[in-house]
Amino acid sequence: MSRPREDILGEESGEDCHVMDLMGFSDEILLHILSYVPSTDLVLNVKRACRKLAMLCLDKSLTHTVVLHKDYQVSKDKVKQLLKEIGKEILQLNMAGCYWLPSSTIDHVLRCKNLVKLNLSGCHLTSLRLSKMLSVLQNLRSLAIDVNPGFDASQLSTECKATLSRVLELKQTLYTPSYGVVPCCTSLEKLLLYFEILDRSREGFILSGQLMVGESNVPHYQNLRVFYARLAPGYVNQEVVRLYLAVLSDRTPENLHVFLISAPGSFAETGATKNLLDSMARNVCLDALQLPKSWLNGFSLLQHVKFNNPFYFSFSRCTLSGSYLVQKVINGGKDLKSLTSLNLSGCIHCLAPDSFFRKAEDDIDSSILESLVVSCCNLRHLNLSAAHHHSSENLGKHLCQLLARLKRLLSLALPVCSITDGTANADKPPMQSVTNMLPQGFGKKARVGVQTYSRSVEQGHTKPQTSVFWTLLESLLLLESLELIGSNFSSAMPRNEPAIRNSLPACSRARHVGDAEVAAISQLTYLRNLTLAQLPNILTGSGLIRIGAQCQHLRTLSLANLGMMGKVVYLSAFMDMLKYCKHLRDLRLEQPYFSANAQFFQALSHCSSLQRLCIISRNGTLQSDAVMSFMASCLEVIMCHMFTGESLTACKNLQQSIVRSFQAERPALNVVIFPLLHEDLTEVIRDVPMMHLDEITLFKSRVAEEPPNLWW
C-alpha cells in the first residue's frame, strides 16, 4: 500500500527540506501562493502532487474564478479536462483573446452551469453555439462576446433569450453591422460596445451601416447606468453607433452616470445626438464623460451638464481652453478629489487661458495647471501627450515641478518637449554632441565616429543639478506606466491606411531631451510599461541600460524613432539593456533602417519571458536564420510581427518556416512578416487577432485611454 506523499517528504532531508517547509506553511499562505498559478496548472498538475495540494487546489477561492486570458499554452484538450473537473464550481470564466481555440471548445462551457460572469471576447462563436450555451447558463449576469459576419439573432432560442433578459452587463465587439444580442438584454445596466467594422468586405464591396430587416428591435436602455462605445476608423462604424444612440436620444435613462464615446477623426454631431446631449444635461448626473471632439468643441454641453463624484474625464483632441477647463469642468478650482483618471491627449490649448490668438507652441499658463493639480490631487492616471506644453522660466512653476505634487500617479503620458528645463535652452543647440547638428533626413550621412558610453550601470548618468524631469520622477516612485511621446510623432503603421512614408520633424525643444533624461527613468523601481517615441537627441542610448538594470518589473517596452532617423545610433546600448530584461513580455520597436541581425536576436534571447515581438522598420532588414534561432531559444514567444523593407518572397518564406517549425508546440502562435510599404498591408493586418493588434502592433497612447476597471 502506497504511503501519502507528505509522509515520504517528511523522511527527505538535506536538499529537499525546503519542500517539507513549504507544506508546513498555513493554508492561508499556500492559497495565496497558489493564486498566482494558472488554473490549468493548478487542476491538471499541482493538484496531483500530494493530498494537501489536492485539497487546496479545489478551494473555492481558486476555483470560483478561472482566467484563461493570455494563458497561451492552453489547448482544447486542457480546457475540456479543466471544465470537466471543476466546471460546476466556476462562477467567473475569462477566455478573452483565446483566438487559437477551435469554436467547438465553447461546447465545454456548458459544464459551468453556475456561471455568473463569462468573457468570450476574441473567441470563435456562432449564433447557434451561443444559443445552445446560454440556454443552459441561467444564472449568467455578465457576458462578453464578438459579433462576426453571419451572426443571426433569429437563431437564438427562447431559453437563450430568457438568459439574456437577465444579463446586467454586456460587452459586445462588432465586426459586422448588427445589434447583436443587445435587444434581448432587457435588464442591461452596463453596455460596452467596440465597433471594428471595416468599410469594405474582403471581396472589395462597400459595406452599409444600415442594419438588416429583422435586427431593428429596439434596445432596452431604461436601466442603463454605464454606456461606452469605442469606434475604429471608418464611416460604417459611425453609422452603426448612431443607430444604437437613437434610442438613447428618445429617452435618456435616469440612472445613467457613465457616458463615454471614443471616436477617432471627425464624427459630426446630428440632430439626434444633440437631443441626446441636451437630455443628458437636463436629466442625469454623471461620474464619467468622454465625447467625440466635434461634440465638445461647442462647449454647450459642459456649461449645463451636472457631475456627481466624477472619477474619469476624457477631452482627447478637443479644443478646450485652459480657462474653460478650470471654470466649467473643475468648478473654478474647487475640490475634485474623486477624479482619478484624466485624459487631455491632443488638447493643445488645455493649459492656456484661451485658444483664439495662441499658437500651439506658445508657453503654457502654469496657474491653470496648478489649479488642476490642487483640485485633482488624487489623480492616478494623467495623459497630456500629443501637444506642445512648453514651460516658461518662472521659478517653481515648471510643468514637471507642478506634476510632482501628484504623489499617487500610477500612469503618466507627456510630450517630450514638456520635460525640458525651460526657455533658457530653447535657442541653444543640444550640448551632448556635434552629431545632433547633422541633417535629420535620409540622405548621405557624414561620418563623425562611433559614440561611446559607459557599460557600467554605476558609472552612468548622475542627476543634473537643475533637471526638473529627474525631480519629477523622484516624486513619483509609485509610477507603473510612463509614456514620453514626441508632439509630432505619428506611427508608420496606421490602422486602415497604407503605411506612412514621411513624418513631421520633432519639436525644437524635444532636441534637448537625450540620454541623461532617459536615464532618469531608472528611478522608477515599480515601472511596468514604458513608451519612448521621437527623441531625436538620443546619441548612445546609455540611459536604456540603467532602465534595464534597475526597472526589474518592466513588462512592456515600446521604442520608436529614437536618435537620428537614418542610423540606429543606440543599438549597442539597447542590446546591453536587453540582457537585464528577464521579465519583459512585450517588445515593440519602430525604427527606420533597423537591422534585425544575429547580434540583435542573440541579445533579445536574454529576454526569456518574452511573449510578443513587433518590429516596424521602413527600409529595415531581417536575418532569417537569426530569427529562427531566436524563436527556438525563446520558448514563450507566441507573437512575431515584423514589417520591414524585405521582399515579399523573403517575408513569406520566413513566416512559413516559423509556423511550420513552432506552431505545433505553441498553439497560440501568430506570425505576420510582411513588407511595410506593400499595398496589401491593410488586408494582412485585418487578420491579426484584435488582442495583439490593439495592445502592441498599432501604436497609441494608452494612459487614461478608458476608465480603470471598466470591465472585470
Side-chain angles (χ1 to χ4, degrees), residues 351-469:
L351 299 181
D354 60 67
S355 57
F356 298 106
F357 305 105
R358 179 183 183 270
K359 296 180 180 179
E361 297 83 4
D362 289 346
D363 289 348
I364 64 173
D365 185 336
S366 58
S367 65
I368 293 173
L369 180 58
E370 189 168 19
S371 296
L372 183 66
V373 168
V374 171
S375 301
C376 310
C377 58
N378 289 324
L379 276 178
R380 304 290 199 279
H381 314 279
L382 176 62
N383 195 329
L384 294 172
S385 65
H388 297 272
H389 295 317
H390 299 167
S391 297
S392 64
E393 293 184 86
N394 292 338
L395 187 63
K397 300 295 185 179
H398 191 282
L399 177 141
C400 290
Q401 293 171 317
L402 294 173
L403 293 183
R405 302 180 190 178
L406 299 173
K407 306 292 185 182
R408 300 186 181 186
L409 276 180
L410 298 177
S411 63
L412 176 64
L414 293 175
V416 176
C417 56
S418 72
I419 68 171
T420 57
D421 287 336
T423 57
N425 296 324
D427 299 322
K428 299 179 183 178
M431 299 180 64
Q432 297 190 37
S433 174
V434 70
T435 54
N436 208 59
M437 302 291 192
L438 297 176
Q440 297 281 323
F442 298 106
K444 186 176 180 180
K445 302 294 183 296
R447 184 174 180 84
V448 294
V450 179
Q451 297 297 307
T452 60
Y453 61 92
S454 171
R455 293 178 181 268
S456 170
V457 176
E458 292 77 13
Q459 296 178 6
H461 298 274
T462 58
K463 175 186 174 182
Q465 292 183 351
T466 60
S467 174
V468 290
F469 185 58

Side-chain angles (χ1 to χ4, degrees), residues 89-122:
E89 306 297 325
I90 301 175
L91 301 181
Q92 301 183 35
L93 177 60
N94 185 354
M95 296 178 62
C98 292
Y99 56 85
W100 63 92
L101 295 176
S103 57
S104 57
T105 310
I106 304 300
D107 296 339
H108 302 294
V109 178
L110 294 172
R111 297 179 180 273
C112 310
K113 300 190 179 190
N114 295 315
L115 270 182
V116 177
K117 294 185 175 184
L118 176 61
N119 192 341
L120 296 176
S121 294

